[in-house]
């Protein structure tokens, strides 16, 4: 494995090494999805599920931060049910104000945070800027943040990018992880990754790894 790591380190730099990364999902709640169609919700759930599945395969820790009390439910529901996902419930707008979440982040002591969130204008932005201020590199998964594509939030997104928060896509994150852990690209995950792309057998052959 050390030999493989050495060879990978000689390739052009790609920062999202799984062992240096955690993923945080902020306010994945149905109340933030009211303007989305059922088809759009299904697409969002598929992307989020693929991202979480890949994270588990490469041992990237996942945390969820929900605004609300004990009865607050996550969407999709499997985020609440997964024993490997730490769910934190809070009463403040900024997830960083939650001491339990901060303690988990401090205990893991990882430099990179892959960030997903459903309330882009408030909690997601606050979390991203707070993590940045505390010395983390933040990667914002744009196509898993359902309201950041709204024209009204264009200036908000530009502001985050100007503050060195990196916009990425769910596919990009998984393929960067796969550069360091090639065997995560199983047939099932490849089907999820390429499901809405044109048929490209050459690409599948190049990426395919044994189950």
């Amino acid at each position: 494995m050390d030999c493989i790591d050495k060879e990978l380190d000689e390739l052009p730099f790609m920062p999202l090494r799984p062992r240096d990364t955690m993923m945080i999902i902020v306010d994945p709640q149905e109340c933030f999805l009211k303007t989305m169609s059922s088809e759009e919700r299904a697409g969002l759930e598929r992307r989020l599920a693929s991202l979480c599945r890949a994270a588990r395969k490469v041992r990237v820790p996942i945390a969820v931060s929900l605004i609300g009390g004990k009865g607050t439910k996550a969407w999709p529901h499997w985020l609440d049910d997964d024993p490997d996902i730490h769910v934190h419930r809070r009463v403040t707008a900024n997830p960083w104000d939650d001491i339990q979440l901060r303690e988990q982040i401090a205990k893991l002591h990882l430099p990179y945070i892959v960030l997903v969130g459903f309330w882009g204008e408030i909690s997601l932005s606050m979390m991203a800027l707070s993590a940045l201020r505390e010395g983390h590199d933040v990667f914002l998964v744009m196509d898993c943040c359902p309201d950041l594509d709204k024209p009204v939030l264009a200036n908000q997104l530009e502001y985050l990018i100007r503050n060195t928060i990196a916009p990425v896509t769910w596919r990009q994150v998984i393929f960067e992880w796969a550069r360091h852990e090639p065997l995560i690209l199983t047939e099932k995950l490849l089907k999820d990754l390429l499901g809405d792309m044109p048929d490209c057998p050459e690409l599948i052959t190049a990426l395919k790894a044994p189950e």
Side-chain angles (χ1 to χ4, degrees), residues 68-163:
K70 290 184 178 180
T72 305
K73 300 295 185 183
W75 183 97
H77 65 83
W78 47 261
L79 288 172
D80 271 323
D81 301 333
D82 192 321
D84 294 326
I85 296 177
H86 296 269
V87 178
H88 305 277
R89 288 171 172 82
R90 66 184 200 281
V91 295
T92 59
N94 187 354
W96 196 269
D97 293 339
D98 177 9
I99 189 170
Q100 290 185 331
L101 178 61
R102 289 204 314 273
E103 285 176 347
Q104 183 185 358
I105 294 169
K107 183 179 179 180
L108 292 169
H109 196 59
L110 299 170
Y112 304 131
I113 292 178
V114 170
L115 193 58
V116 172
F118 287 13
W119 193 12
E121 191 173 13
I122 307 297
S123 59
L124 179 63
S125 297
M126 286 181 169
M127 179 67 199
L129 293 170
S130 296
L132 188 71
R133 183 189 61 213
E134 296 299 320
H136 297 273
D137 289 338
V138 180
F139 298 81
L140 198 59
V141 188
M142 299 297 301
D143 46 4
C144 290
C145 300
D147 65 348
L148 282 184
D149 59 351
K150 294 177 181 177
V152 70
L153 292 185
N155 290 336
Q156 178 81 9
L157 177 58
E158 183 182 350
Y159 173 67
L160 294 176
I161 293 172
R162 282 205 313 267
N163 278 277

